[in-house]
Amino acid sequence: MREREFERYLLSDESIKSKTKAVNSRVSKARLIERELGVDLDEVVSDDTVMYETLIRVKQETNDQNGNNSNALRKYYEFSNGNKFPTLAEYEQKEA
Protein backbone atom coordinates (compact mmCIF):
# COMPACT_ATOMS: atom_id res chain seq x y z
CA MET A 1 0.00 0.00 0.00
CA ARG A 2 1.18 3.46 -0.83
CA GLU A 3 0.35 4.78 2.61
CA ARG A 4 1.63 8.37 2.45
CA GLU A 5 0.06 9.02 -0.96
CA PHE A 6 -3.21 7.51 0.29
CA GLU A 7 -3.16 9.80 3.34
CA ARG A 8 -2.62 12.85 1.12
CA TYR A 9 -5.46 11.73 -1.15
CA LEU A 10 -7.81 11.36 1.81
CA LEU A 11 -6.80 14.73 3.26
CA SER A 12 -7.73 16.38 -0.05
CA ASP A 13 -11.11 14.57 -0.23
CA GLU A 14 -13.75 17.24 0.35
CA SER A 15 -16.36 14.65 1.39
CA ILE A 16 -14.31 13.78 4.50
CA LYS A 17 -15.22 16.27 7.22
CA SER A 18 -13.21 15.11 10.26
CA LYS A 19 -9.84 15.05 8.52
CA THR A 20 -7.46 13.76 11.20
CA LYS A 21 -9.71 11.14 12.76
CA ALA A 22 -11.29 9.89 9.52
CA VAL A 23 -8.01 9.77 7.59
CA ASN A 24 -6.17 7.95 10.39
CA SER A 25 -9.06 5.51 10.73
CA ARG A 26 -9.17 4.65 7.01
CA VAL A 27 -5.40 4.19 6.79
CA SER A 28 -5.50 2.02 9.90
CA LYS A 29 -8.33 -0.10 8.44
CA ALA A 30 -6.41 -0.47 5.17
CA ARG A 31 -3.37 -1.70 7.12
CA LEU A 32 -5.61 -4.13 9.01
CA ILE A 33 -6.90 -5.60 5.75
CA GLU A 34 -3.36 -6.14 4.46
CA ARG A 35 -2.28 -7.73 7.73
CA GLU A 36 -5.36 -9.87 8.45
CA LEU A 37 -5.88 -11.11 4.89
CA GLY A 38 -2.21 -11.25 3.89
CA VAL A 39 -2.74 -9.12 0.79
CA ASP A 40 -1.14 -6.08 -0.84
CA LEU A 41 -3.80 -3.47 -1.53
CA ASP A 42 -2.03 -2.31 -4.68
CA GLU A 43 -2.43 -5.81 -6.12
CA VAL A 44 -6.03 -6.08 -4.90
CA VAL A 45 -7.21 -2.85 -6.53
CA SER A 46 -5.45 -3.56 -9.83
CA ASP A 47 -7.89 -6.38 -10.70
CA ASP A 48 -11.66 -6.01 -10.33
CA THR A 49 -12.21 -9.72 -9.74
CA VAL A 50 -9.62 -9.74 -6.96
CA MET A 51 -11.18 -6.56 -5.55
CA TYR A 52 -14.62 -8.18 -5.49
CA GLU A 53 -13.27 -11.34 -3.84
CA THR A 54 -11.36 -9.29 -1.28
CA LEU A 55 -14.45 -7.26 -0.38
CA ILE A 56 -16.26 -10.56 0.29
CA ARG A 57 -13.33 -11.73 2.44
CA VAL A 58 -13.28 -8.43 4.34
CA LYS A 59 -16.94 -8.91 5.25
CA GLN A 60 -16.40 -12.51 6.32
CA GLU A 61 -12.96 -12.42 7.92
CA THR A 62 -12.53 -9.01 9.55
CA ASN A 63 -15.76 -8.68 11.53
CA ASP A 64 -16.77 -5.74 9.33
CA GLN A 65 -20.13 -5.14 11.03
CA ASN A 66 -20.44 -1.45 10.16
CA GLY A 67 -18.66 -1.52 6.80
CA ASN A 68 -15.69 0.61 7.88
CA ASN A 69 -13.12 -1.92 6.66
CA SER A 70 -14.86 -2.26 3.29
CA ASN A 71 -15.08 1.52 3.06
CA ALA A 72 -11.32 1.86 3.56
CA LEU A 73 -10.68 -0.68 0.79
CA ARG A 74 -13.16 1.07 -1.51
CA LYS A 75 -11.45 4.42 -0.84
CA TYR A 76 -8.08 2.85 -1.70
CA TYR A 77 -9.58 1.55 -4.96
CA GLU A 78 -10.89 5.02 -5.75
CA PHE A 79 -7.48 6.56 -4.91
CA SER A 80 -5.66 4.07 -7.15
CA ASN A 81 -8.08 3.90 -10.09
CA GLY A 82 -9.78 7.30 -10.15
CA ASN A 83 -13.27 5.84 -9.98
CA LYS A 84 -15.48 4.02 -7.48
CA PHE A 85 -15.86 0.26 -7.35
CA PRO A 86 -19.49 -0.80 -7.92
CA THR A 87 -21.59 -2.25 -5.14
CA LEU A 88 -21.28 -6.01 -4.76
CA ALA A 89 -24.76 -6.48 -6.25
CA GLU A 90 -23.92 -4.27 -9.25
CA TYR A 91 -20.67 -6.14 -9.83
CA GLU A 92 -22.42 -9.54 -9.60
CA GLN A 93 -25.10 -8.36 -12.05
CA LYS A 94 -22.46 -7.15 -14.50
CA GLU A 95 -20.56 -10.44 -14.31
CA ALA A 96 -23.66 -12.64 -14.67
Side-chain angles (χ1 to χ4, degrees):
M1 169 174 54
R2 297 169 292 157
E3 195 169 312
R4 293 286 173 233
E5 292 173 59
F6 185 42
E7 281 181 30
R8 283 193 292 276
Y9 171 79
L10 293 172
L11 286 169
S12 69
D13 187 334
E14 293 181 16
S15 70
I16 298 174
K17 302 301 178 213
S18 170
K19 294 294 182 189
T20 303
K21 186 176 178 183
V23 168
N24 289 341
S25 177
R26 284 190 176 98
V27 171
S28 175
K29 301 289 186 197
R31 271 193 235 110
L32 175 133
I33 292 167
E34 285 191 321
R35 184 178 63 251
E36 295 289 318
L37 302 184
V39 297
D40 177 340
L41 291 192
D42 289 307
E43 291 177 16
V44 169
V45 301
S46 68
D47 181 303
D48 283 359
T49 301
V50 175
M51 176 68 178
Y52 169 79
E53 292 167 352
T54 304
L55 281 168
I56 299 294
R57 287 186 65 201
V58 165
K59 286 178 109 174
Q60 295 171 344
E61 299 175 34
T62 69
N63 195 27
D64 193 25
Q65 301 290 347
N66 53 13
N68 288 339
N69 297 343
S70 298
N71 177 271
L73 178 55
R74 287 176 174 282
K75 277 292 188 188
Y76 197 80
Y77 181 94
E78 189 175 331
F79 153 70
S80 295
N81 295 299
N83 61 311
K84 295 182 180 196
F85 192 78
T87 66
L88 296 179
E90 288 170 344
Y91 184 82
E92 290 164 357
Q93 193 80 359
K94 183 184 92 169
E95 295 301 305

